[in-house]
Amino acid sequence: MNPQRYIHFNGHPRLLRAVAFDLDSTLTRPYLDFKRLRQQLNLPTGDILQWLANLPPVKKALAQAVLEVFEQDGVENVAWNDGAQETLEAVQGMGLPVAIVTRNSRASLEGVCRRLNIKVDLLVAREDAPPKPDPACLHYTAKRLEVPIAQLLIVGDYRHDTDAGRAAGAMTALLTNGQTPSWQVEADLVIERLVELLLYFNG
């Protein structure tokens, strides 16, 4: 049976059995320029992965090649986000199972983990389950970690993370990296730096 801890939201304790972290701009420092990617794909708005999935085969292959180069650039220039290594090690030190759940490809995810020597219980890339904001990836994560979805915390920097968490019935924490979100935030917890997450845990 997995260890359990409590996380406090507005002074109220919630049972916590596992933590899922987003990758880009959460565990890793903000680097990827999605505005540039959209220009390369000629896609001003909308979900990139959903758009990609609906393309005809030839156009899809070309777009996937652009996306792969974009993600590989992220791997080659990756660095820990502020306080992320400390936070990850502290959560693992509590004995809690940890997953990384990303919209990135498995090759990109594994490449980042190799470069930063990240070792967690579960890696979930877009090939493994429908990606965020679809809640299926979090249900997949909870099932693989053998924890109830309501006792899983998803930590990420964008609305896709919190939207997926809320839809799945998981707990949610939004990391702002010191920036004001451009959307209406609906999350159990909002933090500016990842290390602040540790202030809300106890035995």
Side-chain angles (χ1 to χ4, degrees), residues 108-148:
S108 171
L109 173 56
E110 291 179 347
V112 167
C113 288
R114 282 193 299 271
R115 281 186 174 260
L116 297 182
N117 195 29
I118 296 175
K119 296 178 181 178
V120 295
D121 299 278
L122 179 65
L123 298 176
V124 182
R126 62 174 176 259
E127 295 93 337
D128 299 308
K132 300 170 291 186
D134 194 312
C137 59
L138 296 182
H139 284 293
Y140 172 84
T141 300
K143 183 176 181 180
R144 288 287 307 276
L145 294 179
E146 299 182 332
V147 300

Side-chain angles (χ1 to χ4, degrees), residues 96-110:
L96 289 167
V98 172
I100 297 176
V101 183
T102 179
R103 287 163 54 90
N104 290 11
S105 68
R106 174 156 286 275
S108 171
L109 173 56
E110 291 179 347

Side-chain angles (χ1 to χ4, degrees), residues 74-96:
V75 172
E76 293 172 0
N77 290 278
V78 72
W80 284 102
N81 201 5
D82 182 27
Q85 185 173 11
E86 173 187 350
T87 302
L88 179 61
E89 290 174 355
V91 171
Q92 291 177 316
M94 297 175 192
L96 289 167

Side-chain angles (χ1 to χ4, degrees), residues 6-14 188-189 199-200 202:
Y6 289 90
I7 185 166
H8 289 255
F9 301 130
N10 297 316
H12 299 290
R14 296 272 301 274
D188 294 302
L189 181 65
L199 299 175
Y200 296 87
N202 75 350

Side-chain angles (χ1 to χ4, degrees), residues 139-203:
H139 284 293
Y140 172 84
T141 300
K143 183 176 181 180
R144 288 287 307 276
L145 294 179
E146 299 182 332
V147 300
I149 189 66
Q151 295 170 10
L152 172 72
L153 172 69
I154 172 68
V155 184
D157 70 297
Y158 192 55
R159 66 187 310 167
H160 287 334
D161 304 296
T162 54
D163 286 353
R166 291 177 65 249
M171 295 176 282
T172 57
L174 177 71
L175 172 66
T176 68
N177 288 308
Q179 304 296 315
T180 302
S182 60
W183 66 93
Q184 182 177 347
V185 175
E186 295 183 86
D188 294 302
L189 181 65
V190 179
I191 53 177
E192 289 192 3
R193 296 177 62 243
L194 198 55
V195 72
E196 294 172 21
L197 183 66
L198 302 178
L199 299 175
Y200 296 87
F201 290 152
N202 75 350

